[in-house]
Amino acid sequence: MTPSLVSVEKVKKRYGDLEAVKGVSFEIQRGEIFGLLGSNGAGKTTTISMISGTLSPSEGQVTIAGEDVSRGSLSVKRAVGVTPQDLAIYPRLTGRENLEFFGTLYGLKSTKLSRRVDEMLALVGLTESASRMAEEYSGGMKRRLNLAAGLMHSPQILLLDEPTVGVDPQSRNHIFEGVRELNGRGLTLLYTSHYMEEVQALCDRVGIMDGGELVACDTVKNLIAGMGGSVIEIGTDAPANTEPLLQELRAISSVQEVEFIPIRGGEETEKSDKDVLFASGHSPMFGTLRLRAGQPNQILAAVINLLNRENAPIHHLDIKEPNLEDVFLKLTGKSLRD
Amino acid sequence: MILQIARKDLKVILRDRSSLIFIFALPLVFMGVFGAAFGRSGENAKPMVVSVLVFNGDKGKHGKELIEAMRTVGLKPELDTQGSTTLTERMKKGEKPLGVIIPEDFSQKLDTATTNALDRTGKIVEARVQVLVDPAVPQVAGMAQGALSGATRSVAGTVFARQLEARFGTSPASGSQDIIALDIKKTNEGLGTELKKPRSVGDTMIPGLAVYFVFFLANGVAATLITEREQGTLRRMLSAPVSRFQILAGKMLARGLMGILQTIEMFTFGVLFMGLHLSGSIFGITVIALTTIFAATTLGMLIATMGKTLEQIQGMITLVMVVMGLISGCLMPREFLPETLQKFSYVTPHAWALTAYQDILLRDRSLLSTLPNLMMVMLFGTGFLVLALRRFRYE
Ligand SMILES: Nc1ncnc2c1ncn2[C@@H]1O[C@H](COP(=O)(O)OP(=O)(O)OP(=O)(O)O)[C@@H](O)[C@H]1O
Ligand SMILES: [Mg+2]
């Protein structure tokens, strides 16, 4: 096994009484895109700051290519690039000047410097606006400049802290494509985001943080597989006593989970159903039947048969592939977006 | 690296119009207004107490009487017991605006002069008092001189009256007699640079204003540190292979350069429009300016440790700077201030820097002889720097 590029070992960070990160360990392999997910305040930024060395851990240690980050050695600083969540650019300098300055901090000079600046401007799609003041940029352009600034010195790993927050789709695409391209050229990335689709599409492996702890860390595939197959959702009127029906459904092979969620006047209730429900005032209950199964195709017929036998109508039927959002919801009990 | 950081800072400063106005336009406005206000005359209605350094070598009692009389006319005699030479030395350093040496034979001469006058012998004997004037603060010294001659008259009058009473048992109506002569001498005389230049408004004002405005650099230094911390660029710099020292030094360099330009501007304006005489060595002035700029920028770093946001410190800085300017004597002679405030004058680095400028420009002293003052400014600067380095939070 090749040694990992970044290794986070039992890292803790306390701010006074608050323990923002409670003993987190994970590794990032060379060349991968590692995603870090977590709702607000989960400790993502704090973790990233400890990896970049701008914050020192209260306990534990972070090593990059085998070197302890907290020693602040030159090689570690050269290895890491940062795109902080809060912008870190000079509003009173032009886009080009910003990049030039950050490049010089790493010893880049003259033609090498200007070539790198041009390259980065092109990468984030700011070539045309390079000579405008950064303060005149739109939010998305500022984010793109922020991304380029962290890349000026060609780091081995780039720490991206929510690079697409508050960004229009076009800017988002630029960032997205940029990240892909860089990874293709061998750059390792740590990516945090609130956008599940991005992480799911981009990242090889994902760590999920909740309340300062790492509650899961695996490949996206494994995490989703851990959810145990797809979800079949059926809108139906179930008999008053649903338990016997549910028992029978559970007995179908490869069905992992069955539940019935009654809806009382919920948004999904169509007018006619509601009328029926309230007019008759008795047995059948409108609601959603949720089944989780490894192979939905193979059980669908059996499920429908059972419902027919019970004279339960099918108002709608939906098969959902589980996604990261479901994984996240299951592990943390929280929805990722606020 | 320091140079690159300084260059970036300069770019940012040069694009910030309000800070440019502050650095370059405000001093001109000040000089213009002050020049117009104080240019015509040193008139000042406020009663004030001027400290006078006195050596009383008199063997009789009239010397003491003169010192008493000085107190009644708004002078505050401070006795030097070491002798006339140390007093002269102290005066040369500009410790007080006025120095008085009462010679050994003062009482004797005064008595003789009085007797002669009463006897109408026609023999002219004068009691003499030596007066030393600090050329750096002519307005104050002038007023003090006026008060002093009032005191001498009153003493002479009393002596005269006493003799009259002793002889005839009556008291005269008028007690004013001009039998004490004041030997007035400027403390910079006899130092080789004997050019008798009159002091202009520029001469007396520019040093103070130069110090005052240079210290406002602190404002900019504090602001850029806090702004960079807030906008995250400080953190970005620190995550690069750049040391804290380099960042701070780069910022000091950029602001220091602005300070140099500002000082040049003020002195040039002074020479062109306010009659400033650039006597003394340009080298000396440069050294003083650089020392002052050093203390000002480090003071800025210290101020930056006192708040998290710009808003928290901005008001305070201005207040502190103006108060320091006032009590240090930069904006007006210290003697114009209430006595209690005068005591705090040397708590400010301004006061020492001002004294150094005055030594070189107005007292015809050498850079070497004013070195102790510069050392004090350096000491302030170093103190600010050490405190700032220990207290500044980079996060
Ligand atoms: N400088 C600080 N001082 C005190 N508490 C802090 C500090 N920085 C962060 N915290 C706290 O630590 C916890 C974790 O914060 P962190 O910024 O790492 O979360 P996050 O996962 O990045 O959240 P978000 O998605 O909102 O960016 C929060 O409760 C936050 O209030
Ligand atoms: Mg964060």
Side-chain angles (χ1 to χ4, degrees):
Chain A
M1 202 188 95
T2 51
S4 47
L5 180 59
V6 178
S7 156
V8 178
E9 291 159 48
K10 299 189 186 116
V11 159
K12 291 189 184 180
K13 182 69 195 181
R14 279 182 288 273
Y15 293 114
D17 288 340
L18 176 90
E19 201 169 39
V21 174
K22 304 171 180 165
V24 163
S25 303
F26 61 90
E27 316 240 304
I28 303 175
Q29 307 300 328
R30 246 174 236 282
E32 77 171 332
I33 305 184
F34 184 87
L36 204 52
L37 286 174
S39 47
N40 290 127
K44 303 181 296 293
T45 300
T46 308
T47 305
I48 284 192
S49 303
M50 289 188 287
I51 296 175
S52 69
T54 46
L55 211 61
S56 46
S58 310
E59 274 177 46
Q61 74 164 5
V62 180
T63 54
I64 292 182
E67 265 196 84
D68 188 349
V69 167
S70 58
R71 284 210 217 103
S73 75
L74 214 69
S75 60
V76 165
K77 286 186 164 187
R78 287 192 178 281
V80 183
V82 192
T83 299
Q85 180 171 11
D86 303 313
L87 295 170
I89 49 173
Y90 292 97
R92 288 285 173 87
L93 295 183
T94 65
R96 173 176 291 280
E97 285 168 342
N98 263 290
L99 296 185
E100 274 170 357
F101 175 64
F102 293 122
T104 57
L105 290 184
Y106 291 88
L108 288 180
K109 282 193 197 86
S110 55
T111 50
K112 220 173 166 189
L113 176 65
S114 64
R115 221 182 310 129
R116 184 72 185 162
V117 169
D118 289 336
E119 197 184 340
M120 288 302 107
L121 285 169
L123 178 82
V124 296
L126 284 176
T127 309
E128 245 115 83
S129 329
S131 50
R132 277 169 59 199
M133 294 284 161
E135 65 185 347
E136 296 167 13
Y137 282 9
S138 72
M141 291 162 80
K142 284 180 189 157
R143 292 240 154 243
R144 285 188 263 155
L145 182 60
N146 198 36
L147 170 67
L151 286 167
M152 277 305 294
H153 62 292
S154 324
Q156 294 178 45
I157 178 166
L158 180 66
L159 310 176
L160 282 162
D161 198 351
E162 309 201 18
T164 55
V165 130
V167 158
D168 64 65
Q170 198 204 342
S171 276
R172 233 170 116 183
N173 262 350
H174 265 295
I175 293 176
F176 212 70
E177 292 311 315
V179 166
R180 277 226 164 112
E181 193 184 326
L182 290 162
N183 182 244
R185 289 192 230 160
L187 180 71
T188 309
L189 289 121
L190 172 66
Y191 193 100
T192 80
S193 175
H194 279 178
Y195 299 101
M196 218 38 94
E197 320 84 76
E198 285 182 3
V199 174
Q200 192 167 345
L202 271 180
C203 300
D204 306 304
R205 289 192 312 132
V206 174
I208 295 180
M209 287 191 79
D210 187 34
E213 285 173 284
L214 191 71
V215 293
C217 181
D218 209 334
T219 59
V220 176
K221 223 175 173 182
N222 286 348
L223 284 173
I224 292 174
M227 291 293 294
S230 310
V231 173
I232 303 169
E233 281 188 0
I234 301 170
T236 181
D237 302 337
N241 183 7
T242 53
E243 206 40 46
L245 175 64
L246 295 186
Q247 288 295 346
E248 277 187 82
L249 286 168
R250 275 188 199 112
I252 302 172
S253 70
S254 101
V255 169
Q256 292 149 351
E257 239 180 272
V258 178
E259 58 180 341
F260 182 74
I261 307 154
I263 299 170
R264 296 186 191 83
E267 312 87 349
E268 285 178 50
T269 316
E270 282 163 31
K271 199 137 197 146
S272 59
D273 299 326
K274 229 197 238 168
D275 290 346
V276 171
L277 199 64
F278 290 118
S280 55
H282 73 292
S283 45
M285 252 196 305
F286 178 74
T288 307
L289 188 63
R290 292 190 69 192
L291 297 102
R292 191 186 298 283
Q295 305 291 326
N297 293 15
Q298 286 163 20
I299 62 158
L300 215 52
V303 173
I304 292 169
N305 277 340
L306 268 174
L307 287 176
N308 282 345
R309 200 193 65 201
E310 297 291 323
N311 271 334
I314 294 175
H315 301 297
H316 64 83
L317 193 151
D318 210 356
I319 300 174
K320 282 186 181 161
E321 285 294 321
N323 56 18
L324 262 187
E325 187 115 38
D326 299 317
V327 176
F328 190 81
L329 191 67
K330 186 179 162 199
L331 288 172
T332 67
K334 289 173 197 154
S335 168
L336 197 55
R337 313 250 177 97
D338 326 297
Chain B
M1 192 56 61
I2 296 175
L3 288 180
Q4 266 108 15
I5 293 173
R7 220 182 66 181
K8 176 263 305 173
D9 268 34
L10 279 177
K11 267 188 202 160
V12 173
I13 298 169
L14 292 177
R15 282 173 193 162
D16 180 2
R17 193 168 310 143
S18 78
S19 91
L20 287 184
I21 290 177
F22 211 92
I23 296 174
F24 296 112
L26 207 60
L28 293 187
V29 172
F30 253 70
M31 288 191 288
V33 172
F34 267 59
F38 292 108
R40 294 173 226 290
S41 66
E43 66 192 58
N44 194 303
K46 270 178 274 168
M48 52 172 202
V49 177
V50 181
S51 292
V52 178
L53 206 51
V54 181
F55 171 67
N56 185 7
D58 185 23
K59 294 213 168 99
K61 61 182 183 193
H62 297 323
K64 281 202 187 94
E65 285 169 358
L66 176 58
I67 293 171
E68 277 317 305
M70 283 161 70
R71 288 191 217 282
T72 63
V73 293
L75 296 175
K76 191 183 163 208
E78 194 177 290
L79 289 186
D80 181 319
T81 49
Q82 308 271 35
S84 56
T85 39
T86 50
L87 182 139
T88 313
E89 273 315 302
R90 289 173 67 184
M91 280 304 297
K92 279 183 179 166
K93 285 188 201 151
E95 275 189 33
K96 298 280 181 252
L98 207 69
V100 173
I101 298 171
I102 306 171
E104 194 178 356
D105 57 359
F106 179 70
S107 287
Q108 186 214 323
K109 286 262 177 66
L110 183 55
D111 284 334
T112 316
T114 311
T115 315
N116 284 354
L118 281 174
D119 292 348
R120 296 175 195 282
T121 55
K123 265 192 267 172
I124 296 165
V125 177
E126 269 186 333
R128 308 189 80 85
V129 169
Q130 245 190 57
V131 180
L132 298 167
V133 179
D134 181 6
V137 280
Q139 321 92 313
V140 180
M143 279 181 266
Q145 230 170 283
L148 181 63
S149 67
T152 54
R153 278 179 207 198
S154 126
V155 170
T158 321
V159 174
F160 199 79
R162 270 196 228 126
Q163 279 212 22
L164 264 184
E165 203 166 56
R167 286 187 191 195
F168 312 109
T170 57
S171 233
S174 143
S176 176
Q177 297 293 324
D178 283 326
I179 46 176
I180 304 178
L182 297 179
D183 286 339
I184 295 160
K185 217 172 145 190
K186 286 194 178 154
T187 52
N188 58 336
E189 278 164 24
L191 284 172
T193 52
E194 203 79 30
L195 31 123
K196 282 276 177 176
K197 55 201 172 202
R199 296 302 179 201
S200 68
V201 212
D203 287 333
T204 50
M205 274 182 43
I206 303 278
L209 288 182
V211 173
Y212 179 68
F213 279 106
V214 159
F215 267 96
F216 271 99
L217 286 180
N219 205 338
V221 172
T224 142
L225 278 171
I226 290 181
T227 308
E228 289 229 25
R229 185 174 57 197
E230 277 183 332
Q231 80 194 4
T233 43
L234 185 62
R235 184 189 281 218
R236 208 194 258 294
M237 278 197 271
L238 286 169
S239 71
V242 177
S243 70
R244 295 173 174 197
F245 167 78
Q246 287 172 319
I247 295 174
L248 294 180
K251 293 198 164 296
M252 267 178 80
L253 192 62
R255 293 283 160 177
L257 199 61
M258 299 311 277
I260 291 170
L261 293 178
Q262 187 188 47
T263 309
I264 292 174
E265 180 203 33
M266 294 184 73
F267 276 93
T268 311
F269 184 91
V271 169
L272 292 181
F273 304 109
M274 294 175 77
L276 173 69
H277 299 87
L278 269 192
S279 61
S281 68
I282 299 288
F283 175 71
I285 295 170
T286 312
V287 172
I288 299 171
L290 291 178
T291 316
T292 313
I293 287 168
F294 169 71
T297 47
T298 54
L299 177 60
M301 290 182 200
L302 182 61
I303 291 172
T305 67
M306 295 176 180
K308 259 189 119 58
T309 63
L310 264 189
E311 290 73 29
Q312 280 172 6
I313 57 156
Q314 208 89 77
M316 184 185 68
I317 296 183
T318 312
L319 186 71
V320 168
M321 290 302 154
V322 172
V323 169
M324 280 179 143
L326 284 172
I327 65 173
S328 63
C330 283
L331 292 181
M332 52 164 128
R334 279 188 276 277
E335 286 71 15
F336 286 12
L337 293 169
E339 257 186 281
T340 39
L341 280 186
Q342 287 186 34
K343 290 201 188 97
F344 291 104
S345 193
Y346 286 95
V347 176
T348 63
H350 300 54
W352 302 94
L354 176 63
T355 309
Y357 269 130
Q358 288 176 335
D359 278 354
I360 295 247
L361 285 169
L362 303 168
R363 295 189 188 105
D364 302 323
R365 302 186 74 207
S366 68
L367 180 62
L368 203 65
S369 66
T370 197
L371 216 52
N373 294 306
L374 282 181
M375 296 291 270
M376 278 307 293
V377 181
M378 279 301 279
L379 203 66
F380 268 100
T382 314
F384 294 148
L385 185 63
V386 169
L387 272 180
L389 288 178
R390 283 170 60 174
R391 295 197 39 200
F392 187 71
R393 313 233 340 118
Y394 292 83
E395 286 296 322

